[in-house]
Amino acid sequence: MAGGALQINEGDSAAKAVRIPSLPGRQPGAPQVDTECDAYKTGYNAAMAELRGEMAEQKARHETFVNSIGDMIAEMETRYRQEALSLIERLFGAVAPTLAVKSSLADIMHIVEERAQRDHSELSLRTHPSLIAHLSEAEKKVLKETPLVTLKSDESCAPATVDAQWKKGGLYHDPDSFIEDVLKALHEETGGAEGDES
């Protein structure tokens, strides 16, 4: 070997043939497929058409599934919203009257303090007998010991109504009407499904 040149001895059996490996799975000498012939093109086109059809069917099934999930979620939201509102309606209907009575009793004592005791104005209070019955002994004592106050029991009043009149003004507090309006609105929102069995 002179001048660094690589020399191949043709007699060397290792250098007789340089072979490029075949593609995986392909047998040496396997027949070649003529991709330009009509039969190949027809088969290829038929296979592609079948694949496209299957993909379209799969897409349609997927869209149907997605739509059904969306409809199911919307139905659940509607049902749970109605059930939640129905529960709120029942809870509000249960606690509102008691809260209204407490609020009205507090209003009565506040009006007595502000108008009769501070302003020394004659004060007329009209309310339902059941509300008067809820007054504590201490509150009844204050009303009796304040000479400018007249407390009238009127069965035509709603249970928590307070109708107060004094020299320069008055107050008509009707929480019962407000309660009825809220319950009616809630009932309408739930579609009136609850309690319509009669």
Side-chain angles (χ1 to χ4, degrees):
M1 187 180 300
L6 177 63
Q7 294 181 355
I8 298 176
N9 185 351
E10 290 184 7
D12 188 354
S13 61
K16 281 184 182 177
V18 176
R19 184 173 174 278
I20 298 173
S22 298
L23 293 173
R26 182 171 176 177
Q27 299 296 324
Q32 299 293 320
V33 176
D34 182 6
T35 58
E36 297 301 320
C37 77
D38 291 338
Y40 176 84
K41 289 179 181 178
T42 302
Y44 175 82
N45 291 337
M48 289 304 293
E50 184 179 349
L51 178 61
R52 282 192 293 270
E54 288 176 358
M55 290 175 67
E57 288 177 9
Q58 181 64 30
K59 183 180 178 183
R61 284 195 296 269
H62 176 73
E63 288 175 355
T64 301
F65 175 73
V66 169
N67 290 338
S68 68
I69 291 293
D71 292 344
M72 185 172 66
I73 290 172
E75 182 184 335
M76 287 170 62
E77 285 178 351
T78 301
R79 187 175 75 242
Y80 289 141
R81 180 178 181 274
Q82 288 179 339
E83 288 175 0
L85 286 171
S86 179
L87 178 61
I88 291 169
E89 179 185 353
R90 291 194 303 271
L91 290 173
F92 183 79
V95 301
T98 301
L99 294 176
V101 165
K102 288 182 179 179
S103 169
S104 295
L105 292 173
D107 284 346
I108 288 173
M109 300 316 295
H110 180 74
I111 293 167
V112 168
E113 183 182 344
E114 288 286 320
R115 301 304 167 194
Q117 294 176 347
R118 288 188 188 171
D119 294 347
H120 303 288
S121 173
E122 287 187 4
L123 177 63
S124 172
L125 293 167
R126 184 174 66 90
T127 188
H128 194 273
S130 64
L131 186 60
I132 295 172
H134 281 93
L135 288 165
S136 68
E137 291 303 319
E139 290 167 336
K140 288 177 182 177
K141 184 177 178 184
V142 169
L143 291 172
K144 284 180 184 176
E145 292 176 357
T146 307
L148 296 174
V149 176
T150 304
L151 181 61
K152 297 176 183 175
S153 173
D154 187 346
E155 298 225 358
S156 68
C157 290
T161 297
V162 177
D163 183 9
Q165 301 294 325
W166 57 89
K167 282 182 183 178
K168 295 181 180 178
L171 169 75
Y172 187 76
H173 179 63
D174 185 14
D176 300 285
S177 178
F178 173 72
I179 291 169
E180 286 178 11
D181 289 343
V182 172
L183 288 172
K184 181 180 177 183
L186 286 168
H187 195 65
E188 288 172 356
E189 282 295 314
T190 60
E194 293 290 327
D196 285 346
E197 296 173 2
S198 57

